[in-house]
Amino acid sequence: MTGPDEHERERVTAALEALVDEYAAQGRERLPSERALALTLGVSRNAIRRGLDTMEAERRLVRLPGRSGGAFITAVIDATPIPPFLFDTRAPRIVRDLDTVQGVPQMLRAQGFEPATRIVSEALEPAPDIVAAILGIPTGGPVVSLLRLRLADGIPLSLERMYLDAERFPGLLDHSPIHSLYTLLSSAFGVNVATSDETIEVTAASRQVAGLLGVRPWEPVLAVRRISRDDAGVVVETSVDLFRADRTRLAVSTVRT
Amino acid sequence: MTGPDEHERERVTAALEALVDEYAAQGRERLPSERALALTLGVSRNAIRRGLDTMEAERRLVRLPGRSGGAFITAVIDATPIPPFLFDTRAPRIVRDLDTVQGVPQMLRAQGFEPATRIVSEALEPAPDIVAAILGIPTGGPVVSLLRLRLADGIPLSLERMYLDAERFPGLLDHSPIHSLYTLLSSAFGVNVATSDETIEVTAASRQVAGLLGVRPWEPVLAVRRISRDDAGVVVETSVDLFRADRTRLAVSTVRT
DNA sequence: AAGTGGTCTAGACCACCGA
DNA sequence: CGGTGGTCTAGACCACTTT
């Protein structure tokens, strides 16, 4: 029952999908022109175009302009879910080893990249609830808030937000700009980071984050949350690192216990 | 030089962005109606709509229909890059602990989810180049190829492709359906997985993968590649697990060496 | 009732590029 | 030259929701 007063989008979409399937089954790769499709389905060319837009966004079609252009059905080459090429890990990504507590600059240099750090902001702030709870200080207590952009070969790699207890590390910001924080904590305060707990998930880059990282807004990024503790198990710092998903590979080795 | 023969898209986009900035600076949250904007900028309403589409896709606007609807400028609430709420890890995601070699069903049960496994395919195949190299067998040699869908509380969580040397584990598929593979390898073949090397990156779900995982095509997924070895350091299996990014959190603990 | 965004139409011009 | 996709216009009707 395709009533005349309902929108045509579903009908057009369904018809186009059926047509694509039919063409694919026959091995025909080019759809009829938009104008021809509009005539056939009895709708305007705009309606056809919106339907094709959807299928192009889903990578089912590729559209090319020009005399011999048209809408081409995406090859049935990727017929296998999780194809074997995914097993290849040689692609040129920057590897972040989760087995070691290592600074980003050392990590980059070891892989042949030229590291750089841009301090976006360094400030003394009252601690938000969650941060205070993690650091074990009262809400609103003073914390050092660092926001740093890491670059590899001049291209943004990650954006890092770090919080430290300002009363435990007085005058920390006087050492600005801070590049190797762990070294500074060790030499100036005698505090060594012994263990880290990290969690990893995928989030979307906000407009601001995307601008700093040089990606499109709402592109996926890897969010690595970290809580670092000293030898006594006391929390030293907590951070969130946002890594560009297109440049990063995380690595971890596990020994069965 | 806005020549009359060039497309208006850039001009309209620029004008809309300027307007949004101006409104945001004044704290006004609702833009004029599309018809009003079309009159003001001297273009058709469709042109305005395409511009607004872009800004809506970038989350700069939210549009609501109805009498008191309109285009609303996204609040300046997320003014801080990497805002503190990101430090909260209590969100209800399924945690995959990278520190232990543990099966997915056990992991899910420990977190109060009801695990389920759907065997998508189990087959004997000739090994692709990369897989053969990892397993240390000749290209084209027989491998057992498993494709399994993991569900938590009935909702897809991950899709796993695993390859094993078929000559090392003869008759493996006779035990089908295989649910706890590591247990089977231990009991039937006396092989115990001792170590795993894993790498993690973000990829886009192909149409097929998206269908199985129940997400939209080209949504980001976490790809976890694994190479498992026995006590002697011989490779036992290699896998790629694709986790739904919206349901998964990875966790890892590190001790400084 | 009136105004909003969402959709659709019929027609036009453009850049591009092979026949 | 002719046909392709990409863009734009002017106008219309719709569902929806506040006035």
Side-chain angles (χ1 to χ4, degrees):
Chain A
M1 305 299 174
T2 60
D5 57 346
E6 72 188 36
H7 289 166
E8 299 277 17
R9 170 166 267 171
E10 293 173 18
R11 189 174 74 84
V12 171
T13 301
L16 287 177
E17 286 180 347
L19 192 65
V20 165
D21 290 344
E22 181 188 332
Y23 269 55
Q26 300 174 9
R28 305 167 67 184
E29 61 178 18
R30 197 174 84 151
L31 288 184
S33 76
E34 296 173 350
R35 291 163 179 84
L37 288 171
L39 273 179
T40 303
L41 298 181
V43 296
S44 73
R45 194 181 149 213
N46 262 336
I48 295 291
R49 279 188 61 74
R50 281 182 299 94
L52 294 178
D53 285 345
T54 300
M55 302 191 73
E56 189 181 30
E58 294 179 354
R59 314 285 211 280
R60 297 233 267 165
L61 296 175
V62 175
R63 287 193 279 184
L64 297 175
R67 175 68 169 86
S68 70
F72 296 85
I73 299 170
T74 300
V76 198
I77 291 173
D78 54 298
T80 310
I82 316 186
F85 73 80
L86 272 183
F87 286 76
D88 192 353
T89 57
R90 289 168 304 184
R93 293 196 176 201
I94 294 159
V95 179
R96 165 81 154 80
D97 190 346
L98 298 179
D99 296 318
T100 62
V101 181
Q102 191 185 26
V104 171
Q106 298 92 311
M107 171 190 89
L108 291 178
R109 244 186 293 268
Q111 296 176 49
F113 294 94
E114 184 57 34
T117 302
R118 255 189 49 209
I119 313 289
V120 180
S121 73
E122 294 177 340
L124 215 59
E125 299 173 2
D129 282 2
I130 297 163
V131 173
I134 294 174
L135 293 180
I137 63 175
T139 296
V143 289
V144 175
S145 169
L146 307 177
L147 186 64
R148 296 180 292 181
L149 184 68
R150 305 287 198 177
L151 302 97
D153 288 349
I155 302 171
L157 171 67
S158 70
L159 186 65
E160 311 181 0
R161 163 80 69 190
M162 181 182 291
Y163 289 106
L164 302 98
D165 180 356
E167 299 192 338
R168 186 174 176 198
F169 304 107
L172 184 63
L173 290 181
D174 299 340
H175 299 82
S176 179
I178 300 168
H179 284 100
S180 180
L181 183 86
Y182 285 7
T183 306
L184 178 62
L185 290 181
S186 178
S187 63
F189 299 94
V191 171
N192 293 294
V193 172
T195 64
S196 293
D197 287 319
E198 293 180 310
T199 65
I200 302 140
E201 51 198 84
V202 177
T203 66
S206 71
R207 201 178 147 71
Q208 280 202 30
V209 168
L212 288 165
L213 284 179
V215 297
R216 292 203 306 269
W218 308 103
E219 288 275 296
V221 294
L222 276 165
V224 179
R225 299 175 167 85
R226 179 173 50 254
I227 299 178
S228 298
R229 296 182 170 82
D230 62 18
D231 316 271
V234 178
V235 173
V236 174
E237 57 94 8
T238 182
S239 318
V240 174
D241 300 352
L242 301 182
F243 286 89
R244 274 176 59 158
D246 61 333
R247 298 195 78 194
T248 309
R249 172 180 302 133
L250 307 177
V252 56
S253 289
T254 308
V255 177
R256 180 156 227 169
T257 51
Chain B
M1 304 296 177
T2 61
D5 57 347
E6 71 188 37
H7 288 166
E8 300 277 17
R9 170 166 269 171
E10 293 172 18
R11 190 174 72 84
V12 170
T13 300
L16 287 177
E17 285 179 349
L19 192 65
V20 165
D21 290 343
E22 182 188 331
Y23 270 54
Q26 300 175 7
R28 304 166 68 185
E29 60 178 18
R30 198 174 83 152
L31 289 184
S33 76
E34 296 174 350
R35 291 164 178 85
L37 288 170
L39 273 179
T40 304
L41 297 182
V43 296
S44 73
R45 193 181 148 212
N46 262 336
I48 296 291
R49 278 187 62 73
R50 281 182 298 94
L52 294 177
D53 285 346
T54 300
M55 304 192 71
E56 188 181 31
E58 294 178 353
R59 314 287 209 278
R60 297 235 267 164
L61 296 176
V62 175
R63 288 192 279 184
L64 297 175
R67 176 69 168 87
S68 69
F72 297 85
I73 299 170
T74 301
V76 198
I77 292 172
D78 54 298
T80 310
I82 316 187
F85 71 79
L86 272 183
F87 285 76
D88 191 352
T89 57
R90 289 169 304 184
R93 293 196 176 201
I94 294 159
V95 180
R96 165 84 153 79
D97 190 347
L98 298 178
D99 295 319
T100 62
V101 181
Q102 192 184 28
V104 171
Q106 298 92 312
M107 170 192 89
L108 290 178
R109 244 186 292 270
Q111 294 177 49
F113 294 94
E114 183 58 34
T117 302
R118 255 189 49 208
I119 314 289
V120 180
S121 73
E122 294 177 340
L124 215 58
E125 299 173 1
D129 283 3
I130 297 163
V131 173
I134 294 174
L135 292 180
I137 62 175
T139 296
V143 290
V144 175
S145 170
L146 306 177
L147 186 64
R148 297 179 292 181
L149 184 68
R150 306 286 197 177
L151 302 97
D153 289 349
I155 302 171
L157 171 66
S158 69
L159 186 64
E160 311 182 359
R161 163 80 70 189
M162 181 182 292
Y163 289 104
L164 302 99
D165 181 356
E167 298 191 339
R168 187 174 176 199
F169 304 108
L172 184 63
L173 290 181
D174 299 340
H175 298 81
S176 177
I178 300 167
H179 284 100
S180 179
L181 183 86
Y182 285 7
T183 306
L184 178 61
L185 290 182
S186 178
S187 63
F189 299 94
V191 172
N192 292 294
V193 172
T195 65
S196 294
D197 287 319
E198 295 180 308
T199 65
I200 301 141
E201 52 197 83
V202 176
T203 66
S206 70
R207 202 180 146 69
Q208 281 200 31
V209 168
L212 288 165
L213 285 178
V215 298
R216 292 202 306 269
W218 308 102
E219 288 275 296
V221 294
L222 276 166
V224 179
R225 298 175 167 84
R226 179 173 50 252
I227 299 178
S228 299
R229 296 181 170 83
D230 61 19
D231 317 270
V234 178
V235 173
V236 175
E237 58 93 8
T238 182
S239 318
V240 174
D241 300 352
L242 301 182
F243 285 89
R244 275 177 59 158
D246 61 333
R247 298 195 77 194
T248 308
R249 172 179 301 132
L250 307 177
V252 57
S253 288
T254 308
V255 177
R256 179 155 227 168
T257 51

